[in-house]
Amino acid sequence: MTVDAAMVTFSCKRQLSVPCTLTYPRGTCGLRPMAAQPGTSRVVGGTDAQAGAWPWIVSIQDPWRAGTGHICGGSLISPRWVLTAAHCFVKARHVNAWRVVIGATHLTQLGPDTQVRNIKRLVVHEDYSSVWERNDIALLELDQPVQCGYHVQLACVPDASLRVSELTNCYVSGWGSTMARAGGPTDVLQEAKVPLINVHLCNSSRWYAGAVHPHNLCAGYPWGGIDTCQGDSGGPLVCQDNNAEYFWLVGVTSWGRGCARAKRPGVYTSTQHFYDWILVQMGLLPAATAPPRPRPVATSTPLQRPPPTPAQAGSFTACPFPRQKLVEFFKLLQELLQVLWGKKAPATA
Ligand code: 4AZ
């Protein structure tokens, strides 16, 4: 994605000498400038993703590992921070020498749209349990911020007010194994549509029999066949907003019994549950004085307030949407207004 340097500079000039990331009027998140049609295709059982289709996904790589060194996925939630899974770092050594590859599709052919960073700081959840895969969440602070563009955008992290269970257009993506039984990472990013599965069903006796935590989500198919797998961990489970184009990062790929098996869907760490933890680690919410926030929605009681928008999730966002897309949007808007005001005949197909 071409970096939107022009837009940032423009903003900076108007804001004089104040740094861009602090002054940029709330950026965007969850948008896919390169997606022809969100989710046209429907990992194990997935399909090759188009370049830039999931512009927040990153590949976390250990340079001492064979091949590309791909270990896990992650999601860019601010120009400096990646959200991923804690279990990716259980036996990790020299994490500061690991690479984070952003804006890639083919891991063996990193093109000009790719940005590579090192890890400045790893923050694993203080209550992470590798035995129970509890609190399987971690943050990576990058050594340098990334620049947003067509192939690099931020994911939107929802707060407790988003009703995640009502979202129906959900996708996973990753460079993990495409074979349910064996195999290393794939070269080309895979994507798959995976419906959310009710956690009570997922935890029932013939499914995961209580192993799924309240801070987990399940996604996949009761009969299996399409699922995340080894190497997809840490990557995104995203769902499109019910009333808009943007996607919410609702889950971090965490675990599952095998891959793509019937009644053994993928289990994800719910990002909504860790919203305050994420803000605190990023230094956006004071730890000691963090006010109690509403719990994630667990009942069908209607909320008193309207659903969140990415702008409200904007504590994280400082990524301008590519200028060309905005120009296209405003041109269309102008034409629409002209038609509405009777100054122009509607365009015919
Ligand atoms: C893994 O080992 C892994 N089928 C990730 C996801 C799933 C299973 C295993 C879900 O990284």
Side-chain angles (χ1 to χ4, degrees):
M1 165 141 62
T2 53
V3 171
D4 217 345
M7 196 158 179
V8 173
T9 314
F10 175 68
S11 164
C12 290
K13 276 188 188 146
R14 289 173 55 201
Q15 303 284 348
L16 296 175
S17 60
V18 193
C20 296
T21 46
L22 295 177
T23 59
Y24 197 86
R26 286 194 169 166
T28 59
C29 62
L31 292 172
R32 306 170 60 209
M34 296 299 286
Q37 278 295 315
T40 44
S41 73
R42 18 161 203 111
V43 189
V44 177
T47 54
D48 288 3
Q50 294 297 307
W54 306 102
W56 40 80
I57 195 167
V58 309
S59 164
I60 300 167
Q61 303 181 351
D62 174 353
W64 286 280
R65 277 274 184 107
T68 60
H70 174 87
I71 300 275
C72 270
S75 301
L76 200 61
I77 59 167
S78 98
R80 263 187 193 275
W81 290 91
V82 166
L83 191 64
T84 184
H87 82 255
C88 298
F89 303 94
V90 164
K91 288 181 185 158
R93 293 171 58 212
H94 311 299
V95 167
N96 295 98
W98 285 24
R99 289 184 297 254
V100 177
V101 178
I102 308 117
T105 309
H106 284 60
L107 288 187
T108 56
Q109 297 164 35
L110 302 181
D113 303 311
T114 306
Q115 299 173 51
V116 182
R117 298 289 183 272
N118 284 115
I119 297 172
K120 181 175 161 191
R121 192 155 57 103
L122 162 67
V123 186
V124 168
H125 195 284
E126 56 279 9
D127 297 322
Y128 167 62
S129 156
S130 59
V131 177
W132 306 107
E133 286 305 359
R134 191 176 286 149
N135 303 305
D136 187 13
I137 195 162
L139 278 163
L140 304 178
E141 187 179 3
L142 305 178
D143 62 342
Q144 297 285 332
V146 300
Q147 288 170 312
C148 300
Y150 283 94
H151 294 79
V152 177
Q153 289 286 313
L154 306 181
C156 310
V157 181
D159 68 14
S161 65
L162 182 72
R163 296 198 225 188
V164 171
S165 62
E166 292 178 4
L167 305 178
T168 53
N169 195 24
C170 302
Y171 292 83
V172 285
S173 47
W175 288 276
S177 172
T178 54
M179 286 174 281
R181 287 180 184 277
T186 56
D187 180 27
V188 182
L189 181 66
Q190 299 293 298
E191 65 180 32
K193 184 168 184 167
V194 283
L196 298 177
I197 293 175
N198 179 287
V199 174
H200 292 294
L201 172 64
C202 195
N203 236 347
S204 60
S205 56
R206 290 176 184 274
W207 292 53
Y208 278 124
V212 176
H213 307 295
H215 60 260
N216 284 145
L217 298 171
C218 294
Y221 296 86
W223 50 88
I226 299 177
D227 193 10
T228 45
C229 201
Q230 198 173 10
D232 292 319
S233 285
L237 165 65
V238 292
C239 299
Q240 192 178 11
D241 190 88
N242 277 341
N243 303 304
E245 208 184 338
Y246 51 80
F247 282 75
W248 294 103
L249 175 64
V250 300
V252 171
T253 303
S254 179
W255 62 276
R257 299 245 166 90
C259 305
R261 293 191 203 164
K263 298 187 178 131
R264 299 289 183 273
V267 182
Y268 300 82
T269 306
S270 165
T271 57
Q272 179 178 59
H273 191 94
F274 293 95
Y275 184 82
D276 281 2
W277 179 84
I278 294 168
L279 285 183
V280 170
Q281 307 314 313
M282 291 171 69
L284 297 171
L285 186 68
T289 58
R293 294 198 172 205
R295 300 276 95 211
V297 183
T299 68
S300 58
T301 314
L303 287 169
Q304 296 303 306
R305 55 198 168 123
T309 65
Q312 286 158 338
S315 315
F316 303 102
T317 64
C319 234
F321 196 64
R323 187 165 56 165
Q324 192 189 323
K325 284 276 168 182
L326 286 177
V327 170
E328 279 168 19
F329 171 76
F330 282 112
K331 268 191 189 156
L332 276 172
L333 189 67
Q334 196 178 16
E335 279 186 26
L336 179 70
L337 289 175
Q338 282 176 346
V339 169
L340 287 176
W341 292 335
K343 289 187 181 167
K344 196 176 168 187
T348 47

